[in-house]
Amino acid sequence: MSDLINDLKGKKILIAGASSGIGEACAKYLASCGAIVYISARREDELKRVLSEMEGENHKYYVFDYAQTDKIEGFVKNIVAENGVLDGMVFSVGVTSTRPLKMIKPEYMQQIMNVNFFSFLELTRVCTLRNVFNTEKFSMVAVSSISALFGNQSKTAYAASKGAIDASVRCIAKEFHSKNIRINAVNPGLVRTAIYDTFVDNSGDSKDAEDILKRQYMGLIEPMDVAKTVAF
């Protein structure tokens, strides 16, 4: 049933990282709001499952690894050639990282930034190219993290990658507002996802999780809570 507040009937939206967690919730909620959703991620079996659980018709899934930043442009252009220009994009790709500074060597940092930030920047760049986005109105939302705003020990790499998203979003918003392109980032705290389970299970992180939850007046939030914010 379409949400009257977030009525997205007929809007074509690409979701990067839609096979689980927040990305999956976004796919299901945006579909329930009437959008035509193109979900993408690495795991085909999970994409098929998510697709089967989405309301509405004409949704499609595309298997793609966003770590292959040099192939993002061709991937997106193929989707547009097949389906027409996009009305929106959601970036929900990311890997978590819990590692003390002494273990963050350049090659490791490169891996984290490649998945969490460079892929976002390249996908955003491609979505702003001519004949890719709806020139009347186009909106992009990146799933960032509260880690970009508040630090925790051993979260340097992860927080830096999310902070890079936030900083770039502010610049991109000013650069493209005259072209009817809007971009925002959402910064969830702890969300009940597989990443949260990994965070709690890692040695020393359980106490960190408890401290963060004490600061979250809503407690541990659900992926669908974030999805509704993305849709808005």
Side-chain angles (χ1 to χ4, degrees), residues 8-45:
L8 300 172
K9 186 175 181 180
K11 300 295 185 182
K12 299 177 181 177
I13 300 175
L14 170 64
I15 301 182
S19 60
S20 62
I22 294 173
E24 174 182 346
C26 286
K28 292 177 178 177
Y29 185 70
L30 293 176
S32 75
C33 293
I36 300 171
V37 184
Y38 309 126
I39 58 176
S40 58
R42 293 179 300 165
R43 297 175 294 172
E44 184 173 15
D45 56 336

Side-chain angles (χ1 to χ4, degrees), residues 128 133-138 175-181:
T128 61
F133 68 96
N134 184 341
T135 56
E136 293 184 5
K137 184 183 290 188
F138 184 67
E175 182 174 348
F176 288 98
H177 78 278
S178 62
K179 294 185 178 180
N180 298 320
I181 294 177

Side-chain angles (χ1 to χ4, degrees), residues 58-75:
N58 301 317
H59 311 302
K60 296 180 182 179
Y61 78 85
Y62 295 88
V63 180
F64 187 72
D65 182 358
Y66 283 91
Q68 298 178 308
T69 54
D70 59 322
K71 297 182 180 180
I72 290 176
E73 182 169 348
F75 171 68

Side-chain angles (χ1 to χ4, degrees), residues 85-131:
V85 295
L86 299 172
D87 298 290
M89 181 273 282
V90 178
F91 179 85
S92 187
V93 175
V95 292
T96 188
S97 169
T98 303
R99 184 172 288 197
L101 182 61
K102 65 182 179 181
M103 295 179 63
I104 302 177
K105 294 186 176 182
E107 57 269 25
Y108 176 77
M109 194 66 208
Q110 178 71 30
Q111 293 173 7
I112 298 299
M113 292 297 287
N114 191 55
V115 176
N116 288 7
F117 176 63
F118 296 153
S119 62
F120 158 74
L121 199 62
E122 175 62 3
L123 179 59
T124 302
R125 182 191 73 82
V126 173
C127 283
T128 61
L129 294 178
R130 195 170 161 188
N131 299 323

Side-chain angles (χ1 to χ4, degrees), residues 132-226:
V132 171
F133 68 96
N134 184 341
T135 56
E136 293 184 5
K137 184 183 290 188
F138 184 67
S139 181
M140 298 180 285
V141 180
V143 177
S144 181
S145 169
I146 198 171
S147 294
L149 307 173
F150 300 98
N152 262 313
Q153 63 178 8
S154 300
K155 304 301 291 186
T156 301
Y158 180 74
S161 68
K162 294 300 186 178
I165 287 179
D166 285 5
S168 63
V169 162
R170 289 190 284 270
C171 298
I172 295 166
K174 291 185 176 181
E175 182 174 348
F176 288 98
H177 78 278
S178 62
K179 294 185 178 180
N180 298 320
I181 294 177
R182 184 175 62 235
I183 184 168
N184 287 285
V186 295
N187 297 71
L190 290 182
V191 184
R192 197 187 305 276
T193 65
I195 290 180
Y196 168 76
D197 293 337
T198 300
F199 178 59
V200 172
D201 290 342
N202 281 337
S203 177
D205 281 346
S206 179
K207 179 63 167 58
D208 289 341
E210 292 176 6
D211 292 340
I212 294 173
L213 284 175
K214 289 178 182 177
R215 300 197 297 266
Q216 291 189 191
Y217 72 92
M218 292 180 63
L220 183 63
I221 61 177
E222 300 295 333
M224 194 57 71
D225 297 322
V226 184

